[in-house]
Amino acid sequence: MKNPLLITLLPSADVDLGRWLLAHYQVEYSERPHAPIFHILALKAWGVGKDDYPLFVRGGEKYGGIEKMLPLLEREAAQNLRLLPDAEKEPLLHKEAWDLQHYARWEMGADVVNWSYWNLLKYKKVVWPSITKDVPWYEKLTCQFGFRGIRWLMYKGLKLDQAVSDASLEKICAGWDKYDEILKDGREYLVGDRLTFADLAVATSGGPMILAQGYHGMLPNQAVCPPEMQKVYSELRQRPTGRFIQRIYDRHRPDQLLCV
């Protein structure tokens, strides 16, 4: 295997976080993206669980998910590239960064998934690039003719309905309130005076809610989204957290990914 592999569910926020981490740490890799549902089959074929994505495979070793990738990459990174404050030297900053990223990914991020999938999967044309770009031809073919079935499986698997979507949007707005409050003093970064893992986690988890430029998970074009979704995107983009997310992408997402 010439380069490490990243096995992905194409539009996932944690997958884009994994891509960003590898680019930040200057690790060359090859990506193998999969459409929803098919990514589970791919992960099983690699002998890992359905939630172990992105899956980083290097030299026969498998690291499923960000929680396994991050310690490996941090340990091997040059000091100037490390994204976590030192737990012994800066315990308060370390805890603050870890808590902020956890909330972004596991609480607010879960609601971003719920709201986005419930609304976008209603419109095949809108969501099509997000689920099929560069996936194997047979996955694209199956999505073409079996889109309704895949949508049903995703709705069922995530237990989505309109009430869940509405509640998720309220929680997303609460997340924006939380980060707006932190950012109100004009700080450039969430923790301390430099880029940390918390910044990348908030940017990727919240990126789909502003259709962030620079997100590599093929977010839809706002112009083809239904008006009610466009309104949400526009409102959140103008808030401090929305502006912060785009600024982090603009300043810190490498122009050229090391994906080959």
Side-chain angles (χ1 to χ4, degrees), residues 180-233:
D180 281 358
E181 179 68 19
I182 294 171
L183 294 164
K184 71 179 183 180
D185 61 4
R187 66 181 64 191
E188 185 174 359
Y189 301 110
L190 290 171
V191 179
D193 58 0
R194 68 180 184 88
L195 183 74
T196 69
F197 182 54
D199 300 308
L200 302 194
V202 172
T204 49
S205 295
M209 295 307 301
I210 67 164
L211 302 181
Q213 297 297 310
Y215 189 100
H216 290 274
M218 289 302 296
L219 295 176
N221 184 332
Q222 180 168 327
V224 299
C225 292
E228 62 272 18
M229 294 189 76
Q230 292 192 40
K231 182 174 184 292
V232 171
Y233 293 140

Side-chain angles (χ1 to χ4, degrees), residues 104-175:
R105 293 172 54 230
W106 294 103
E107 297 186 45
M108 186 184 75
D111 290 301
V112 171
V113 169
N114 290 343
W115 184 83
S116 298
Y117 276 148
W118 173 253
N119 288 284
L120 290 172
L121 285 171
K122 296 176 183 178
Y123 307 96
K124 180 179 178 181
K125 181 179 179 180
V126 173
V127 80
W128 186 252
S130 299
I131 63 174
T132 63
K133 181 176 171 56
D134 296 331
V135 305
W137 67 268
Y138 52 86
E139 293 184 14
K140 186 178 294 187
L141 185 65
T142 303
C143 288
Q144 178 66 44
F145 293 101
F147 181 80
R148 289 186 178 181
I150 291 172
R151 177 175 60 195
W152 181 83
L153 287 171
M154 293 180 69
Y155 279 173
K156 182 179 180 182
L158 293 169
K159 299 177 180 165
L160 297 181
D161 57 27
Q162 189 61 54
V164 169
S165 174
D166 292 344
S168 288
L169 183 57
E170 290 185 7
K171 294 176 184 176
I172 292 166
C173 290

